[in-house]
Amino acid sequence: MLQLSLHLLNILPLETEAHGEGGYQSPGVESFQFDGNWGIDWLTKPAMQAIIAALLVIAFWLWGSRKLGVKPTKGQFFFEYVYEFIRNGVARDTLGHDFRKFLPYLLAVFSFILVNNWFGEFFLFMLPTFSNIGYAYAVALLSWIMYMGAGFAKHGVGGYLKRSLIPPGAPGYLLPLLIPLEFLSNFIVRPVTLALRLFANMFAGHLVVLVFVVGGAYLLTHGPAIHRVAGGVSLLFSFAILFLELFVGALQAYIFTVLTAQYVSSSIADEH
């Protein structure tokens, strides 16, 4: 257990510094900041993870779509289970008969977010990509473009803006107040909250793991015996949190996908 914890300590994206004898620096925001690689400023660790995740998702579904049979193998059953989970549980239930045209995006965004979230528990990475706010905003922007484009395609630019900004039956004297509020709600707040929800959960969960791992490893190597006991308990608890983060990562991928589907549904609905 100690060797594994020290291995985690070596590969986690942080630095511990002792300010004098017995000093300790707790992980913080700086633990999530990275420099570029190979002389390319933007090619940071989160950027490399996002690229790897995209390649993994493409490879996963290409592999899963090969040699499909009427009688599925165990591998085909697994791929079909994941596919039907999004198809039936998210796309069809939320979007109704129009779900097929949006299913590829919903499946892709769920898979991409899930892989990037689970990177936080994978020892070669130990960082959820979306603990970096920029990547959360990027995927939220894609969903924003999706549901905005769906609304414009269904109702036209003027028709969609009217349905989005003017509530049915609203009296005319309230429109100067309602139109800005509806604009903020439908065009600004939705993508921002999508991004912040994903980022906050990934950032906070991984920071908790860092605190317990770094603090536990420090206590195990410094101070009296009671500190070593506390350090061992801290490390054990950090592994429990790691397993919890697997569930949280999957849950956040599902919530993001469901909300995206709901926003698309509201954009293409015949009645707003």
Side-chain angles (χ1 to χ4, degrees):
M1 179 66 72
L2 177 59
Q3 292 178 346
L4 180 56
S5 301
L6 292 176
H7 172 69
L8 284 172
L9 187 61
N10 288 331
I11 63 176
L12 283 171
L14 55 89
E15 294 179 357
T16 55
E17 299 177 357
H19 302 288
E21 184 177 357
Y24 168 73
Q25 180 180 352
S26 177
V29 175
E30 66 280 356
S31 303
F32 296 82
Q33 298 173 350
F34 303 91
D35 297 324
N37 293 284
W38 303 299
I40 305 175
D41 292 338
W42 63 266
L43 195 58
T44 60
K45 181 176 181 179
M48 294 175 65
Q49 290 187 186
I51 294 171
I52 293 171
L55 295 175
L56 288 175
V57 170
I58 293 172
F60 177 84
W61 288 112
L62 285 177
W63 181 31
S65 60
R66 293 174 62 248
K67 299 180 180 179
L68 299 178
V70 177
K71 182 179 180 180
T73 62
K74 291 182 179 179
Q76 182 179 335
F77 177 81
F78 171 74
F79 286 108
E80 289 182 354
Y81 177 82
V82 178
Y83 172 79
E84 291 179 1
F85 174 71
I86 299 300
R87 178 187 184 274
N88 300 336
V90 177
R92 189 176 65 182
D93 288 352
T94 305
L95 297 168
H97 65 277
D98 290 327
F99 78 93
R100 288 181 178 84
K101 64 180 71 174
F102 304 105
L103 178 59
Y105 176 76
L106 295 175
L107 188 64
V109 77
F110 172 79
S111 305
F112 182 72
I113 293 175
L114 180 64
V115 171
N116 279 286
N117 287 351
W118 279 359
F119 277 162
E121 288 69 53
F122 190 57
F123 287 177
L124 294 179
F125 300 96
M126 291 308 300
L127 177 75
T129 307
F130 294 111
S131 62
N132 185 306
I133 186 62
Y135 296 90
Y137 277 133
V139 73
L141 177 62
L142 291 177
S143 291
W144 181 82
I145 293 173
M146 172 61 69
Y147 74 77
M148 290 285 293
F152 288 142
K154 178 70 177 291
H155 305 291
V157 176
Y160 179 67
L161 291 177
K162 180 180 178 180
R163 299 170 69 87
S164 299
L165 300 179
I166 302 177
Y173 62 87
L174 286 180
L175 292 183
L177 175 63
L178 292 177
I179 289 177
L181 291 176
E182 290 293 320
F183 177 83
L184 286 174
S185 174
N186 294 321
F187 294 87
I188 306 297
V189 174
R190 281 182 175 182
V192 170
T193 54
L194 268 180
L196 291 180
R197 183 185 296 104
L198 179 60
F199 159 73
N201 280 278
M202 294 300 100
F203 179 87
H206 199 63
L207 184 60
V208 170
V209 173
L210 292 182
V211 170
F212 277 96
V213 170
V214 175
Y218 182 83
L219 290 173
L220 279 172
T221 54
H222 294 78
I226 187 64
H227 287 184
R228 302 179 193 277
V229 173
V233 173
S234 177
L235 289 174
L236 288 173
F237 194 66
S238 70
F239 285 101
I241 297 175
L242 278 173
F243 285 110
L244 177 62
E245 284 301 295
L246 286 172
F247 170 74
V248 172
L251 180 62
Q252 289 305 312
Y254 175 74
I255 290 174
F256 191 100
T257 307
V258 168
L259 289 176
T260 297
Q262 289 178 348
Y263 295 158
V264 172
S265 177
S266 67
S267 295
I268 63 176
D270 292 327
E271 295 183 2
H272 182 66

